[in-house]
Amino acid sequence: MRRKIPSTTALLAFELAARHESFTRAAEELALTQSAVCRQIAGLEDFLGLRLFRRTKRGVTLTEAGVTYSRQISARLDAVERDTLSVMAHHGQGATIELGVVPTFATRWLLPRLSGFLERHPGVTVNLTNRSRPFLFAETELDAALYFGDAGWPGTEAHFLMRENPVPVCSSRLLGGASALTPDEVAARPLLQQTTRPYAWREWFASLGMRIAHDMTGARHELFTMLAQAAMHDMGVALIPPFLIRDELDSGRLVVAMNHALVSNKAYYLIIPERKAESAALAAFRDWLLEAAAEYRAAAGLD
């Protein structure tokens, strides 16, 4: 039975025209004439039986159906491109792991160690994609994810890696000459907030038996790297896991304002969909990662 799939040329023309909302720019990127792009998109609209663009005096805009279809097609064309590049890179051999990651953990902890895995498994390529928010594997091309939160993802295996245990850090200038701050002095400084952990300061103060009215007030940043930069520039005190800012602490660009860690009930996990758990490459990566995490926890005294 013949598949109900439009031509690749038409889909490429549509994806580019949708991205730019311009037939002219799509034609330039495809090295076609504008009329050729118009014909491809008109043929695609006839194939689908609906309008993807509204023609106006100023150009074209996507219809509601066009917006939806462009998102779907763009994701699938990206997947085809990734698969093609992977096959080209490995000449049809080897394996590729598409890994979703929380960015700071990947940059500061995973990447400095990843060469150890690649040395053991030279035929495996590990691609990293930023995923700082929860998602569904069925809606992505990801094989696994490094995730911070709870382990209860339906249809997945969760492998514990480590907890964060953040401490308050700031620039030495914000200490005002003191070697450390008291909890009240921490509360008196601007509190830098992390978007994905909105209750972190409240939980930290609560662990000391304190309630602070403004514990959720302050500039919000999504990534620990952003928090670290803000803290280094005297903008306030931030709660950050020490292992993510080891270089900044060792160099003195950041200092621990008070040596009291928040022991979180959430943790970093390797999440693998059950349907991919039998993958040899993923199994090798899982075993290596769990070994590396166990070595880190033992060295840091966290076991």
Side-chain angles (χ1 to χ4, degrees), residues 22 26 55 80 102 134 167-168 177 236 260:
S22 168
R55 280 69 171 176
V80 170
V102 280
V167 296
H260 176 77

PDB file of all heavy atoms in Angstrom, residues 22 26 55 80 102 134 167-168 177 236 260:
ATOM      1  N   SER A  22       8.141  33.547   4.109  1.00  0.00           N
ATOM      2  CA  SER A  22       8.563  34.202   2.872  1.00  0.00           C
ATOM      3  C   SER A  22       8.883  33.140   1.834  1.00  0.00           C
ATOM      4  O   SER A  22       9.758  32.292   2.057  1.00  0.00           O
ATOM      5  CB  SER A  22       9.805  35.071   3.116  1.00  0.00           C
ATOM      6  OG  SER A  22      10.374  35.482   1.894  1.00  0.00           O
ATOM      7  N   ALA A  26      12.731  31.276   1.074  1.00  0.00           N
ATOM      8  CA  ALA A  26      12.768  29.823   0.904  1.00  0.00           C
ATOM      9  C   ALA A  26      13.409  29.469  -0.438  1.00  0.00           C
ATOM     10  O   ALA A  26      14.223  28.540  -0.534  1.00  0.00           O
ATOM     11  CB  ALA A  26      11.362  29.245   0.987  1.00  0.00           C
ATOM     12  N   ARG A  55      -2.327  34.493   1.645  1.00  0.00           N
ATOM     13  CA  ARG A  55      -1.624  35.430   0.782  1.00  0.00           C
ATOM     14  C   ARG A  55      -2.129  36.834   1.078  1.00  0.00           C
ATOM     15  O   ARG A  55      -3.333  37.088   1.077  1.00  0.00           O
ATOM     16  CB  ARG A  55      -1.845  35.104  -0.691  1.00  0.00           C
ATOM     17  CG  ARG A  55      -0.976  33.963  -1.247  1.00  0.00           C
ATOM     18  CD  ARG A  55      -1.328  32.600  -0.688  1.00  0.00           C
ATOM     19  NE  ARG A  55      -0.639  31.509  -1.380  1.00  0.00           N
ATOM     20  CZ  ARG A  55      -0.722  30.252  -1.023  1.00  0.00           C
ATOM     21  NH1 ARG A  55      -1.481  29.905   0.025  1.00  0.00           N
ATOM     22  NH2 ARG A  55      -0.056  29.332  -1.702  1.00  0.00           N
ATOM     23  N   VAL A  80      15.162  13.334  10.547  1.00  0.00           N
ATOM     24  CA  VAL A  80      15.738  12.719   9.348  1.00  0.00           C
ATOM     25  C   VAL A  80      17.169  13.209   9.133  1.00  0.00           C
ATOM     26  O   VAL A  80      18.072  12.435   8.788  1.00  0.00           O
ATOM     27  CB  VAL A  80      14.864  13.030   8.114  1.00  0.00           C
ATOM     28  CG1 VAL A  80      15.573  12.611   6.834  1.00  0.00           C
ATOM     29  CG2 VAL A  80      13.523  12.319   8.225  1.00  0.00           C
ATOM     30  N   VAL A 102      20.030  18.181  31.460  1.00  0.00           N
ATOM     31  CA  VAL A 102      19.939  19.497  32.086  1.00  0.00           C
ATOM     32  C   VAL A 102      21.307  20.151  31.865  1.00  0.00           C
ATOM     33  O   VAL A 102      22.348  19.542  32.146  1.00  0.00           O
ATOM     34  CB  VAL A 102      19.587  19.384  33.585  1.00  0.00           C
ATOM     35  CG1 VAL A 102      18.116  19.163  33.767  1.00  0.00           C
ATOM     36  CG2 VAL A 102      20.348  18.256  34.274  1.00  0.00           C
ATOM     37  N   PRO A 134      10.325  18.820  32.147  1.00  0.00           N
ATOM     38  CA  PRO A 134       9.789  17.483  31.878  1.00  0.00           C
ATOM     39  C   PRO A 134       9.242  17.385  30.454  1.00  0.00           C
ATOM     40  O   PRO A 134       8.769  18.364  29.880  1.00  0.00           O
ATOM     41  CB  PRO A 134       8.666  17.348  32.916  1.00  0.00           C
ATOM     42  CG  PRO A 134       9.044  18.283  34.016  1.00  0.00           C
ATOM     43  CD  PRO A 134       9.710  19.449  33.337  1.00  0.00           C
ATOM     44  N   VAL A 167      24.424  24.819  48.602  1.00  0.00           N
ATOM     45  CA  VAL A 167      24.803  25.698  49.712  1.00  0.00           C
ATOM     46  C   VAL A 167      24.714  27.145  49.238  1.00  0.00           C
ATOM     47  O   VAL A 167      24.814  27.415  48.037  1.00  0.00           O
ATOM     48  CB  VAL A 167      26.232  25.390  50.216  1.00  0.00           C
ATOM     49  CG1 VAL A 167      26.310  23.980  50.796  1.00  0.00           C
ATOM     50  CG2 VAL A 167      27.249  25.577  49.104  1.00  0.00           C
ATOM     51  N   PRO A 168      24.531  28.084  50.151  1.00  0.00           N
ATOM     52  CA  PRO A 168      24.501  29.496  49.743  1.00  0.00           C
ATOM     53  C   PRO A 168      25.902  29.987  49.392  1.00  0.00           C
ATOM     54  O   PRO A 168      26.846  29.800  50.167  1.00  0.00           O
ATOM     55  CB  PRO A 168      23.953  30.213  50.984  1.00  0.00           C
ATOM     56  CG  PRO A 168      24.255  29.310  52.122  1.00  0.00           C
ATOM     57  CD  PRO A 168      24.235  27.917  51.586  1.00  0.00           C
ATOM     58  N   GLY A 177      33.788  41.422  54.620  1.00  0.00           N
ATOM     59  CA  GLY A 177      34.944  41.219  55.495  1.00  0.00           C
ATOM     60  C   GLY A 177      34.807  40.057  56.448  1.00  0.00           C
ATOM     61  O   GLY A 177      35.781  39.673  57.092  1.00  0.00           O
ATOM     62  N   GLY A 236      23.819  39.080  44.630  1.00  0.00           N
ATOM     63  CA  GLY A 236      23.102  38.438  45.716  1.00  0.00           C
ATOM     64  C   GLY A 236      23.720  37.106  46.081  1.00  0.00           C
ATOM     65  O   GLY A 236      24.823  36.757  45.655  1.00  0.00           O
ATOM     66  N   HIS A 260      25.978  25.374  55.255  1.00  0.00           N
ATOM     67  CA  HIS A 260      24.784  24.593  55.598  1.00  0.00           C
ATOM     68  C   HIS A 260      24.100  24.218  54.292  1.00  0.00           C
ATOM     69  O   HIS A 260      23.645  25.086  53.540  1.00  0.00           O
ATOM     70  CB  HIS A 260      23.828  25.392  56.479  1.00  0.00           C
ATOM     71  CG  HIS A 260      22.552  24.652  56.772  1.00  0.00           C
ATOM     72  ND1 HIS A 260      22.477  23.631  57.690  1.00  0.00           N
ATOM     73  CD2 HIS A 260      21.303  24.779  56.245  1.00  0.00           C
ATOM     74  CE1 HIS A 260      21.236  23.160  57.736  1.00  0.00           C
ATOM     75  NE2 HIS A 260      20.511  23.841  56.869  1.00  0.00           N
TER      76      HIS A 260
END
